[in-house]
Amino acid sequence: MTVRIAIVGDLDPAKHSHRELEAARSLLGSDVETTWVATDSPAMAGIAAGTTAYDGVWIAPGSPYADDAAVLSVIRFARESGLPLLGTCGGMQYAVVEFVRDVLGRPGTHAEVDGVGADNAVGALACSLVGEQRVVTPVPGTRFATLLGGASFTGVHYCSYGPTAATLSTLQQHGWVVEATAPDAPVEVLSYEPHPFFVLTLFQPQIGAIQWGRVHPILHAFVDLARRTAPVRAVALAAQQLAAEEARPRPYVHQMRGPRHRGWRPLVALVLLLVLTMLFMGAVTVPFGLAGGLPDDFETLDLSVPTQLWMNLTLAALIPASMIATRVAYGRPWGRLFSVTGRLRWGWLLQCMALVAPLWVVYLAASWVVFGQDVLPRPEAWIGLLVVTLLTTPLQAAGEEVAFRGLVVQAVGAWIRSPVAALAVSTAVSAATFVAAHGSMDVWIWIDIGSLAVAACWLAWRTGGIEAGIALHVVNNLAVTFAGILLGGLEESYVDTETTGSPVSATMSVVVMTIATALILWLAKRRGIAPAGRTTASVG
């Protein structure tokens, strides 16, 4: 597995320390891939956000940097995330500044950048060490001492600044350890103990790569830890990228066509919907049967209060069936079944209902006049029927929308790459299955019922959810059922295998659905729910 190391710094071939670093890159191992990342490069943001797949960061010498703030952000990410970090010379200085500012909450100024002051976390060394050599001695008992077997060595320096004595004392009170010193320096190697590898050196461990073809063991220790953590980090990054791709905005028809999409998932969702629907409908039917609340003849329903309640609750069972099928088949939150926002937008649903309710009053009144209907006797239990209708018909209508405009549309849409083609095919399938479920073989009834399906699918595309479709369905069913209860003819309000329509009734349904769709889209554009384009899909 390739180990990726980011060398954060502004490469300058005129600097001997950078030429040595360039030579050192090939000595770190055949599986190691090192990349210079300029501090003012856009790639710095990816490292600081953890979205770029690096297994370790080496903060190279050469401060001040082209973008000090970007360097501090990368250091902070490495410190907080556990990403192995090696800071040499300038890397040491900036890691100290970052900790003092972000953890201790102090100014943490740098004498070279901010000028000499009482709040310097990094100050000038007693004497410049540019090109100087001095003996570095590991502190007994430290990890650095263990790495070197306690032996001292001659370190080469190209540095003029380091942590102040006061800062060093404070750091040691907050988990930092001095791991090596020199005769005239209180620190040569500094590490942050809570971190797996957060090591800073004053000396330059890459020196020797050009002349002797070897580097200091601290570099190999850094790479070894990056090598051990690379598989874990790769898994974490893959999960992060998967989550980002899952969250990428998509049209409603493609909500289930995420990075984990497989052709079998929609099929599983559809099969589960059928199985779970039968199970839940059975669970609803059993207590009604035991209580004697089921109709004696299913062909000619006697619409009593128990029968009305049973029919509505069995169709409401489509809601949990669809939600569970979505979660199991796709492994995605079932909120995506309701809208691209991942939830049911209750406020938007209620606004749509309020907007179209007056339209249905006009529609029913016009139908009454056009077809010359008469007022018939009310059912004997009309008050109970009104209560059951008010409380459960919205659930029945919502159940049909969740199943036919939700799960079916998204299952079919997931199979088709083009969003527009997915919309067209899923609308056709949704309308056909919705019409077939009602049982009538009359073409005018197909058009009547199909107009609702087509309108709801188009509104789901433009508004990014099924709330508008639910609103149309609920208002239509409530209005028709209330009229049937209060004015008589409730049995004629339901569609069954014997129901027939007419060109006039079908045309009126298409007209009212077209007007309702236009009204909802007008409101959706004003509220920013539907995008400006006439055919553009809402993606959240």
Side-chain angles (χ1 to χ4, degrees):
M1 181 176 186
T2 300
V3 181
R4 301 188 66 217
I5 303 294
I7 302 174
V8 172
D10 305 306
L11 177 60
D12 182 358
K15 294 179 179 177
H16 181 69
S17 61
H18 283 195
R19 294 196 300 273
E20 290 276 8
L21 200 157
E22 279 287 273
R25 294 170 64 186
S26 63
L27 304 176
L28 299 178
S30 58
D31 61 336
V32 179
E33 177 186 297
T34 56
T35 304
W36 274 94
V37 181
T39 64
D40 58 356
S41 164
M44 290 288 284
I47 302 175
T51 57
T52 307
Y54 284 111
D55 306 307
V57 175
W58 182 353
I59 309 296
S63 61
Y65 301 101
D67 190 339
D68 285 351
V71 175
L72 293 172
S73 295
V74 168
I75 291 172
R76 178 171 183 168
F77 171 75
R79 176 178 55 79
E80 293 179 341
S81 68
L83 180 67
L85 179 140
L86 176 68
T88 56
C89 191
M92 168 186 272
Q93 300 161 27
Y94 278 64
V96 167
V97 167
E98 186 279 324
F99 189 88
V100 172
R101 291 180 183 177
D102 294 338
V103 179
L104 303 184
R106 301 178 184 178
T109 58
H110 192 303
E112 183 181 22
V113 178
D114 306 305
V116 177
D119 54 7
N120 285 156
V122 173
L125 298 173
C127 60
S128 175
L129 296 176
V130 176
E132 296 294 324
Q133 299 182 13
R134 59 180 176 177
V135 176
V136 177
T137 303
V139 174
T142 62
R143 289 182 292 187
F144 189 68
T146 301
L147 177 66
L148 298 184
S152 298
F153 62 94
T154 300
V156 181
H157 304 73
Y158 287 87
C159 206
S160 299
Y161 294 85
T164 64
T167 299
L168 192 59
S169 176
T170 302
L171 292 177
Q172 289 177 287
Q173 299 171 23
H174 291 84
W176 290 80
V177 175
V178 173
E179 299 211 35
T181 61
D184 55 346
V187 61
E188 277 283 351
V189 177
L190 185 63
S191 68
Y192 185 49
E193 281 293 299
H195 194 285
F197 195 101
F198 197 88
V199 179
L200 317 173
T201 70
L202 197 62
F203 72 94
Q204 304 275 343
Q206 74 274 22
I207 303 298
I210 295 177
Q211 185 174 359
W212 299 298
R214 63 175 183 268
V215 294
H216 193 275
I218 194 66
L219 277 177
H220 292 296
F222 165 60
V223 170
D224 285 344
L225 187 62
R227 186 177 285 117
R228 292 196 298 272
T229 59
V232 176
R233 189 161 299 280
V235 171
L237 184 63
Q240 188 179 57
Q241 291 172 338
L242 177 65
E245 179 62 18
E246 283 283 2
R248 183 173 64 82
R250 294 180 178 83
Y252 182 79
V253 292
H254 272 178
Q255 284 301 294
M256 299 305 156
R257 192 179 171 85
R260 290 179 292 187
H261 168 68
R262 299 294 184 273
W264 54 266
R265 290 186 183 275
L267 182 60
V268 171
L270 292 170
V271 171
L272 279 176
L273 174 62
L274 292 175
V275 172
L276 292 172
T277 297
M278 289 189 290
L279 289 175
F280 289 152
M281 285 184 171
V284 171
T285 300
V286 168
F288 278 89
L290 294 176
L294 295 178
D296 295 328
D297 183 2
F298 285 90
E299 293 296 326
T300 56
L301 290 177
D302 174 20
L303 290 177
S304 63
V305 171
T307 298
Q308 179 89 336
L309 180 60
W310 167 72
M311 288 194 304
N312 283 349
L313 291 182
T314 52
L315 290 174
L318 288 167
I319 299 175
S322 299
M323 294 168 66
I324 295 172
T326 295
R327 182 62 178 169
V328 172
Y330 302 106
R332 303 200 76 198
W334 55 45
R336 295 286 174 183
L337 196 61
F338 298 109
S339 77
V340 295
T341 66
R343 59 183 175 82
L344 182 67
R345 297 169 292 188
W346 284 99
W348 171 236
L349 170 61
L350 295 175
Q351 287 182 44
C352 290
M353 290 179 62
L355 181 65
V356 300
L359 177 62
W360 252 259
V361 174
V362 175
Y363 168 51
L364 291 180
S367 298
W368 192 270
V369 173
V370 169
F371 295 106
Q373 293 172 295
D374 298 320
V375 176
L376 301 174
R378 295 173 182 171
E380 183 177 343
W382 67 274
I383 295 178
L385 288 171
L386 283 177
V387 172
V388 169
T389 297
L390 181 63
L391 296 180
T392 62
T393 293
L395 294 175
Q396 165 261 316
E400 293 184 354
E401 288 304 307
V402 171
F404 290 100
R405 251 65 68 194
L407 189 143
V408 170
V409 164
Q410 291 184 346
V412 174
W415 274 319
I416 304 171
R417 183 182 300 274
S418 166
V420 175
L423 169 65
V425 176
S426 65
T427 297
V429 173
S430 176
T433 53
F434 184 59
V435 168
H438 284 77
S440 174
M441 298 302 293
D442 183 78
V443 67
W444 303 115
I445 293 296
W446 294 355
I447 295 173
D448 190 327
I449 297 174
S451 64
L452 170 60
V454 172
C457 286
W458 179 250
L459 288 170
W461 169 266
R462 293 285 282 123
T463 67
I466 59 174
E467 297 93 347
I470 292 175
L472 290 179
H473 206 145
V474 170
V475 169
N476 178 77
N477 287 14
L478 283 177
V480 171
T481 307
F482 280 166
I485 294 172
L486 296 175
L487 303 177
L490 178 60
E491 288 78 6
E492 286 73 31
S493 301
Y494 288 85
V495 176
D496 57 27
T497 56
E498 303 300 322
T499 304
T500 59
S502 69
V504 175
S505 63
T507 300
M508 291 181 69
S509 292
V510 171
V511 170
V512 77
M513 286 298 171
T514 302
I515 295 173
T517 300
L519 287 173
I520 290 174
L521 287 178
W522 167 79
L523 181 61
K525 289 178 182 178
R526 291 196 60 179
R527 288 204 52 202
I529 291 175
R534 291 181 180 274
T535 61
T536 306
S538 173
V539 294

